[in-house]
Amino acid sequence: MITPKTLKLSLKSLKDFARKRLADETLIELDERDECPLEIVRHMCSPDQLGIQLLFIPEDFGGMGGGSFDVYRVCEEMARIDLGVATAVLATFLGSDPITVGATPEQKKFWLSRIANEGILFAYGATEPEAGSDLGALKSTAERVLEDGKVVGYRINGSKQWISNGGIADAYTVLASTPAGPSWFIVEKGAKGFTHDEPENKHGIRLSNTAALAFNDVYVDAGRLIGGVEGQGLNQAQAVFGYTRLMVAAFGLGAGWAALDRVIPYSTKRIQAGAPLSEKQGYTHKLIVPYVARLEASRAYIEETAQRIDAGEGSLNTEGAIAKYMATEAGNQAADAGIQALGGYGYTHEFMVEKISRDVRITTIYEGTSEIMEMTISRDRWQLHLKTRGQYYHEQARALEALHAGHPEVGADTAALALHALAEVIEKARLARLTRYQHILLRLGELIAFAESAACLCRRAVAAAEGKLHEKADRRFDAPALAALSRIFAREAALKVGEEGLRWVCGAGGVAAADLATFENAIGLPAIHRAQAGTIADMDYICDGLYNRAARPVAQAA
């Protein structure tokens, strides 16, 4: 188990390494050359050097046995440095996940120990040219090889697309269909009949190696079937979705902050109309503060989910989907706003924010697109709505109202409005059978993610106020600042659920014109509008903190 002190030292070592080996100028040059710095990646994953891979390996196999919380903190820091390099490192952990969750004890000992002791690189071979993220549409096959009626091996045929580390890995976990169903196999580089294409010429994360794989009668012995039992592949993949999506969520979070951390100091030096941009609300309140709030709402959801996974609550696939959706969308938006904030400079290759913007875009695509996340979220929470006869989110809202009674400063009452509205929107969608429209399901997924993240940020703000934040939690913002961010985001979430929920229910014909006013009251739209009071003052307060100015007092809502 990793202690807070050990985690802190690991993060410091990562930062120190980046300062020495991965300065902005170096990263930009590598990006221009479309080059994966393999020597640096191997250095980071070497037990004799940085040894990042040890964080992910259980102690029984020579690793440090890091939990989800540790992984989130390290992944965020890696993304702050460079998402391409972070992806190359992550690919090994992703590639070894089927082994970690599904392998036999002997397979785990052999392969996980090699990752820990030798620093070998893995790749995760699941995605196919015509299947994308749909693992159920698998076309690669693994034909049994029999001797005396016994399975002694398999011949793999097929292709894989968009494989991180595809051209540089030492070993690959490959998903292929056996007679009993999809199964994972371990294929080593150099295997006869196994080839990879040249690296893809990508829009971003150009410091990672991404290549297509081809398998032409590639033979592996039966001992390379992960778990030793056919047909377990999809279960093994799904067992870690919550965990792996949390890692990608941390990538979005880190990249978003990497952009803002370059924009904020720039705005103190850029003079426009006689004053720094940092003193102009048209700049700070449009291009910085909203994204700070969204990133910190995402962090709250990531931390809460990581804590729950570490506590043994299961894989939490839906929560992982919400964390990934919120953090990667927020990171992508923050980086895009960063380009706007830098003006013409932001649009040039010599400024890192342009590169960050190209890099972070992939986080909304790989490990499940944002649209798949929306569908995952919507389907799961729809079932909870049905099982509780429409009370699931009303109950969550009542819990927030109780929280508001003890801590009125965090905006829990406003977040409760979002959850009450969400319950009513989902119920109206049920009554009018609106989920027959796929777009409605996707939009419900978005509204659910925002409302739940607002609730999470309220809880995090309360924990900070009570001195009960997780011992490994990020502490960039103090309790009053977290409370202000929570109020800002709760208002945004409530407005989004109320107004967009109304839009889509009406747009799909779920409310007659004569019943519109009744529905507006049912979702609490007037109360949501009233709750917007104080927004500018809270944004001013956050700006003062970001720029280390004397904070103006903020009037709290009653």
Side-chain angles (χ1 to χ4, degrees):
M1 178 171 293
I2 295 176
T3 66
K5 182 179 180 180
T6 300
L7 177 61
K8 187 175 181 180
L9 288 172
S10 297
L11 293 173
K12 183 180 183 303
S13 296
L14 192 54
K15 292 175 184 177
D16 291 343
F17 176 82
R19 276 193 290 269
K20 294 176 183 177
R21 300 292 302 275
L22 292 169
D24 285 0
E25 296 78 10
T26 301
L27 295 172
I28 289 171
E29 288 174 7
L30 288 166
D31 178 80
E32 292 278 0
R33 297 201 301 266
D34 194 11
E35 178 182 334
C36 173
L38 181 56
E39 183 267 333
I40 288 177
V41 172
R42 288 199 179 278
H43 184 112
M44 295 177 74
C45 294
S46 168
D48 299 324
Q49 303 295 334
L50 199 57
I52 288 293
Q53 87 287 1
L54 298 176
L55 173 77
F56 298 78
I57 304 297
E59 292 178 278
D60 290 346
F61 306 110
M64 299 170 67
S68 298
F69 214 103
D70 304 304
V71 169
Y72 131 65
R73 292 300 310 277
V74 171
C75 281
E76 180 190 2
E77 189 57 45
M78 286 196 297
R80 284 177 181 271
I81 298 166
D82 184 82
L83 257 175
V85 173
T87 298
V89 174
L90 170 69
T92 288
F93 314 137
L94 184 60
S96 64
D97 274 338
I99 299 171
T100 302
V101 301
T104 65
E106 294 77 17
Q107 289 171 332
K108 288 182 181 180
K109 182 177 181 180
F110 181 80
W111 291 106
L112 297 181
S113 295
R114 287 193 66 189
I115 295 172
N117 299 327
E118 301 174 32
I120 64 170
L121 302 180
F122 258 84
Y124 185 78
T127 302
E128 296 191 351
E130 297 180 17
S133 298
D134 183 6
L135 299 186
L138 190 67
K139 290 189 177 181
S140 295
T141 59
E143 180 184 352
R144 294 169 180 166
V145 177
L146 303 175
E147 287 186 7
D148 299 325
K150 179 182 178 181
V151 178
V152 296
Y154 295 84
R155 293 199 180 278
I156 301 174
N157 286 278
S159 59
K160 301 293 178 178
Q161 188 76 31
W162 318 123
I163 306 304
S164 296
N165 286 0
I168 63 173
D170 302 300
Y172 302 73
T173 47
V174 179
L175 189 64
S177 289
T178 66
S183 307
W184 287 100
F185 296 88
I186 302 170
V187 179
E188 289 189 82
K189 71 176 181 180
K192 184 178 179 181
F194 170 42
T195 59
H196 61 77
D197 287 352
E198 291 297 310
E200 302 284 356
N201 185 8
K202 304 187 298 294
H203 174 66
I205 58 167
R206 293 165 67 84
L207 274 68
S208 70
N209 175 282
T210 307
L213 311 179
F215 302 86
N216 183 17
D217 277 342
V218 176
Y219 177 80
V220 294
D221 64 43
R224 298 298 177 88
L225 168 63
I226 293 180
V229 179
E230 294 178 5
Q232 301 302 304
L234 295 186
N235 290 335
Q236 290 164 349
Q238 291 167 355
V240 295
F241 275 162
Y243 176 75
T244 56
R245 286 168 178 168
L246 211 62
M247 286 192 256
V248 179
F251 279 2
L253 177 65
W257 265 116
L260 293 183
D261 280 336
R262 286 167 169 81
V263 167
I264 290 169
Y266 167 85
S267 64
T268 64
K269 300 171 184 176
R270 180 73 163 87
I271 306 300
Q272 187 179 66
L277 289 173
S278 59
E279 295 181 8
K280 299 180 183 296
Q281 285 186 349
Y283 182 92
T284 58
H285 289 30
K286 180 184 179 185
L287 301 177
I288 295 178
V289 177
Y291 305 103
V292 170
R294 291 176 198 175
L295 287 169
E296 290 308 301
S298 303
R299 182 190 304 283
Y301 208 95
I302 291 169
E303 290 197 349
E304 187 170 292
T305 302
Q307 198 166 348
R308 291 176 62 192
I309 291 174
D310 288 343
E313 292 190 33
S315 60
L316 300 182
N317 288 348
T318 302
E319 286 76 8
I322 292 174
K324 180 186 184 298
Y325 178 77
M326 291 299 297
T328 61
E329 289 289 330
N332 189 47
Q333 293 159 3
D336 186 68
I339 289 180
Q340 190 74 13
L342 292 175
Y345 295 112
Y347 204 61
T348 62
H349 284 303
E350 61 195 274
F351 274 66
M352 274 292 290
V353 170
E354 183 272 342
K355 178 183 177 302
I356 292 167
S357 181
R358 285 187 288 108
D359 288 348
V360 72
R361 188 68 181 81
I362 191 61
T363 64
T364 67
I365 298 173
Y366 68 7
E367 199 56 19
T369 65
S370 288
E371 292 70 36
I372 288 175
M373 298 302 100
E374 288 175 340
M375 186 62 75
T376 298
I377 296 161
S378 185
R379 284 176 172 169
D380 181 77
R381 297 310 198 234
W382 178 261
Q383 292 301 316
L384 284 177
H385 179 83
L386 297 180
K387 288 177 183 178
T388 60
R389 298 180 180 274
Q391 292 304 302
Y392 179 75
Y393 283 115
H394 283 309
E395 291 171 0
Q396 299 291 316
R398 286 190 281 271
L400 283 178
E401 288 163 351
L403 194 68
H404 174 73
H407 286 276
E409 77 279 6
V410 302
D413 54 339
T414 305
L417 291 175
L419 291 168
H420 279 309
L422 181 61
E424 295 296 331
V425 168
I426 296 175
E427 180 63 10
K428 183 63 72 173
R430 182 190 71 82
L431 292 172
R433 300 178 62 194
L434 301 185
T435 54
R436 67 185 185 275
Y437 299 109
Q438 186 187 55
H439 188 61
I440 297 298
L441 271 175
L442 294 177
R443 300 285 50 79
L444 287 177
E446 179 186 25
L447 301 185
I448 288 165
F450 267 77
E452 289 198 21
S453 295
C456 259
L457 187 51
C458 288
R459 290 191 288 269
R460 191 173 194 274
V462 168
E466 295 180 347
K468 295 179 180 178
L469 278 178
H470 191 285
E471 59 183 355
K472 297 176 182 177
D474 175 87
R475 285 175 167 77
R476 178 172 189 141
F477 294 100
D478 62 15
L482 276 177
L485 287 169
S486 183
R487 294 192 298 271
I488 290 169
F489 188 77
R491 294 187 190 103
E492 180 183 6
L495 196 65
K496 189 176 192 69
V497 173
E499 294 194 339
E500 294 192 18
L502 179 69
R503 175 193 184 192
W504 295 117
V505 167
C506 290
V511 178
D515 298 327
L516 184 57
T518 300
F519 185 58
E520 288 175 343
N521 285 323
I523 62 177
L525 205 53
I528 289 171
H529 287 158
R530 290 193 297 271
Q532 304 306 311
T535 299
I536 293 296
D538 280 340
M539 296 178 87
D540 287 342
Y541 181 81
I542 293 301
C543 274
D544 290 338
L546 290 171
Y547 289 101
N548 295 313
R549 298 191 291 242
R552 288 160 265 188
V554 178
Q556 305 294 333

